[in-house]
Amino acid sequence: MVLEGSSEALCPPSSLDLRQSCKKTTSSSSSPLVPASQHHDNLIINDKDPVKYGELIVLGYNGSLANGDKGRRRSRLALYKRPKANGVKPDVIHNISTPLVSKALSNKSQHSISYTLSRSHSVIVEYTHDTNTDMFQIGRSTESMIDFVVTDTSPNSQGANEGQSAQSTISRYACRIICERNPPYTTRIYAAGFDSSKNIFLGERAAKWRTSDGLMDGLTTNGVLVMHPTGGFSDDPSPGVWREISVCGNVYALRETRSAQQRGKLVENESNTLQDGSLIDLCGATLLWRTPEGLRRTPTLKQLESLRQEMNAARPQCPVGFNTLAFPSLAQREIVDKKQPWVYVNCGHVHGYHNWGFRKEKGGSGNERECPMCRRVGPYVPLWLGCEGGLYLDAGQPTHAFCPCGHVCSEKTAKCWSQIPLPHGTHAFHAACPFCGTWLTGEQGYIKLIFQGPVD
């Protein structure tokens, strides 16, 4: 690892008071959060209407983990103002020799970030309590300091099980989110989280450097990527540019590959402040940030159920079998009902299930069908209503479906997600269904549904 400047120039020879020079505020972790649907048992909030900073939604689970939401391991989590501030902020920086490192890090009451420059030289930044911020930590670790436990997401809502966690590419202490306790409740994201010893440790091989103001900064192994939408997420959004967030919250262009030691170029005119629709990628799972204002425009479970009943009340019919079709209840997932509507994803014609029309096209999957209405050949899949309201941009009619998975949502929602490239692997990007994580196919990635009304 080649560092900028000499090691002597990285820090003054004695402790430096950073109280006046630190521009950004970071903080620490303590009490748990509140699930999006209920208050956490041991979080006591005295206010009649607690302040909600926003909600984090993991893409690919359609409203619930495969084995159910439990405690801090869930598909969606709301961040509320804590009864007491738990924030910390940079205070003093030490330039020390290695024999003193263990002593400095052994103080479990002191939050710190340590940068190992060489075997004989480290820089440790101590943090002090900040009464103006709350911090929430996210990572793969199930230790108590992690507020939101996130595991690797694979397509079709199947998260990694306990046995796979050792091979996870998500960091145990992936990132921390800092919320200002006073209006406008600005929320910022920082790479890395404090461990059980209240330390963030960047080893000798980690990417790290001295900043222009003489402080230290660095990146985590697989990085924390963020993309802010342009145009307002609920209005007329278009994808922004994926950036990497540093340990101190600075914004950088992406590295050549996900874990390359050479950092990207500093992007000075962008910030780590989260906005409605910001995406956070932890190299294995992608999270969506929704603000309270943005969530007010999305459908609730009750509204989604109402939309489902409204579609079924129109009595759509199979144009071939003339049997009435019905979307299954929101609670019934992945179990195909005999009345469930199916769609040819290349044309959008909706049918009831039938076991004919197979076409083994050259180079195809061997599971494609020919639509009896228009003769187009393509995948034939059951339709499912998207159950996670926070992934919707509006509460419009569910008229479109993602290809090839068949998850149904509003037109605005389908168009938006089909344009967003989500990180995959070390340097690839693919648009995916936000409800199940399946990569989108076809010209647009979605299709307008064509229903046959009742004949009577």
Side-chain angles (χ1 to χ4, degrees):
M1 174 67 192
V2 179
L3 298 173
E4 292 183 355
S6 65
S7 58
E8 290 76 10
L10 286 170
C11 179
S14 59
S15 297
L16 173 67
D17 191 340
L18 299 180
R19 290 183 181 89
Q20 302 300 322
S21 61
C22 291
K23 299 177 182 177
K24 291 189 174 70
T25 301
T26 59
S27 88
S28 88
S29 169
S30 62
S31 58
L33 314 191
V34 181
S37 59
Q38 64 187 56
H39 289 281
H40 206 287
D41 293 339
N42 56 359
L43 180 62
I44 302 171
I45 300 175
N46 296 321
D47 297 341
K48 190 173 182 181
D49 296 311
V51 172
K52 180 160 76 169
Y53 298 125
E55 294 191 21
L56 290 165
I57 303 167
V58 187
L59 303 189
Y61 290 107
N62 201 15
S64 176
L65 299 184
N67 298 321
D69 290 346
K70 300 171 185 176
R72 294 171 294 137
R73 191 191 296 269
R74 53 183 51 249
S75 66
R76 176 174 178 166
L77 205 62
L79 278 62
Y80 284 90
K81 185 176 181 179
R82 297 185 186 275
K84 184 179 179 181
N86 72 326
V88 295
K89 55 188 175 182
D91 184 31
V92 176
I93 186 169
H94 299 283
N95 182 33
I96 60 179
S97 58
T98 300
L100 297 176
V101 172
S102 58
K103 182 179 179 181
L105 300 184
S106 63
N107 184 0
K108 293 190 176 183
S109 64
Q110 178 76 58
H111 287 82
S112 63
I113 300 180
S114 59
Y115 302 85
T116 302
L117 306 179
S118 68
R119 293 183 179 181
S120 60
H121 185 199
S122 293
V123 173
I124 295 181
V125 181
E126 292 183 355
Y127 282 68
T128 189
H129 183 60
D130 182 7
T131 59
N132 297 315
T133 61
D134 288 333
M135 186 185 102
F136 305 93
Q137 299 210 131
I138 304 167
R140 176 170 47 89
S141 171
T142 57
E143 295 175 85
S144 61
M145 82 291 301
I146 297 297
D147 297 292
F148 194 12
V149 179
V150 178
T151 52
D152 295 67
T153 305
S154 57
N156 302 314
S157 305
Q158 300 302 312
N161 58 38
E162 294 294 333
Q164 293 174 298
S165 61
Q167 288 77 41
S168 173
T169 50
I170 300 174
S171 171
R172 289 180 299 160
Y173 318 105
C175 67
R176 58 200 195 278
I177 290 180
I178 314 305
C179 305
E180 293 185 5
R181 291 172 61 85
N182 299 312
Y185 307 112
T186 303
T187 301
R188 298 183 176 91
I189 183 168
Y190 298 79
F194 293 100
D195 62 18
S196 58
S197 299
K198 297 185 178 180
N199 180 243
I200 293 173
F201 182 79
L202 294 180
E204 200 171 340
R205 293 187 175 184
K208 50 194 172 303
W209 58 90
R210 182 185 60 160
T211 59
S212 58
D213 51 6
L215 306 179
M216 293 294 298
D217 202 356
L219 304 174
T220 55
T221 302
N222 289 328
V224 174
L225 308 188
V226 171
M227 189 196 77
H228 305 302
T230 59
F233 192 62
S234 296
D235 301 319
D236 187 21
S238 58
V241 179
W242 282 100
R243 304 296 192 192
E244 181 163 10
I245 303 298
S246 72
V247 171
C248 293
N250 294 308
V251 182
Y252 291 86
L254 300 187
R255 288 178 266 183
E256 189 173 336
T257 59
R258 193 75 190 232
S259 58
Q261 289 198 333
Q262 182 63 44
R263 74 175 189 271
K265 185 178 179 181
L266 177 67
V267 184
E268 296 186 26
N269 62 339
E270 295 182 20
S271 80
N272 62 335
T273 301
L274 296 178
Q275 62 190 64
D276 189 41
S278 290
L279 287 166
I280 304 165
D281 189 81
L282 305 178
C283 195
T286 304
L287 284 61
L288 172 68
W289 172 255
R290 297 305 308 263
T291 62
E293 182 183 1
L295 287 168
R296 281 193 285 272
R297 305 186 188 187
T298 64
T300 63
L301 272 176
K302 188 176 181 180
Q303 289 173 315
L304 287 174
E305 174 61 21
S306 178
L307 288 170
R308 184 188 74 88
Q309 292 180 10
E310 189 178 320
M311 287 192 293
N312 290 345
R315 294 175 57 217
Q317 289 192 340
C318 175
V320 177
F322 300 110
N323 52 307
T324 301
L325 308 176
F327 279 85
S329 68
L330 300 181
Q332 184 176 335
R333 303 179 192 183
E334 311 307 324
I335 302 174
V336 180
D337 185 86
K338 62 180 181 180
K339 290 186 177 181
Q340 189 153 357
W342 286 61
V343 67
Y344 287 91
V345 299
N346 280 353
C347 61
H349 285 112
V350 179
H351 293 255
Y353 179 75
H354 49 255
N355 195 24
W356 42 265
F358 284 98
R359 293 291 184 272
K360 290 190 177 181
E361 296 294 311
K362 207 170 186 180
S365 64
N367 194 32
E368 299 192 332
R369 309 277 192 94
E370 181 183 271
C371 174
M373 301 297 291
C374 66
R375 301 300 182 187
R376 288 194 68 176
V377 175
Y380 179 62
V381 299
L383 291 174
W384 307 92
L385 186 63
C387 298
E388 177 52 83
L391 299 176
Y392 284 73
L393 275 72
D394 63 357
Q397 291 292 320
T399 55
H400 289 64
F402 288 107
C403 306
C405 59
H407 278 102
V408 180
C409 60
S410 67
E411 179 180 11
K412 193 173 185 178
T413 301
K415 283 184 176 180
C416 173
W417 286 105
S418 67
Q419 296 171 4
I420 297 176
L422 298 175
H424 174 76
T426 59
H427 56 274
F429 293 84
H430 295 279
C433 170
F435 298 107
C436 67
T438 301
W439 291 0
L440 301 185
T441 59
E443 295 178 9
Q444 297 178 309
Y446 64 92
I447 193 76
K448 179 177 173 57
L449 299 175
I450 305 173
F451 287 95
Q452 168 78 44
V455 178
D456 48 35

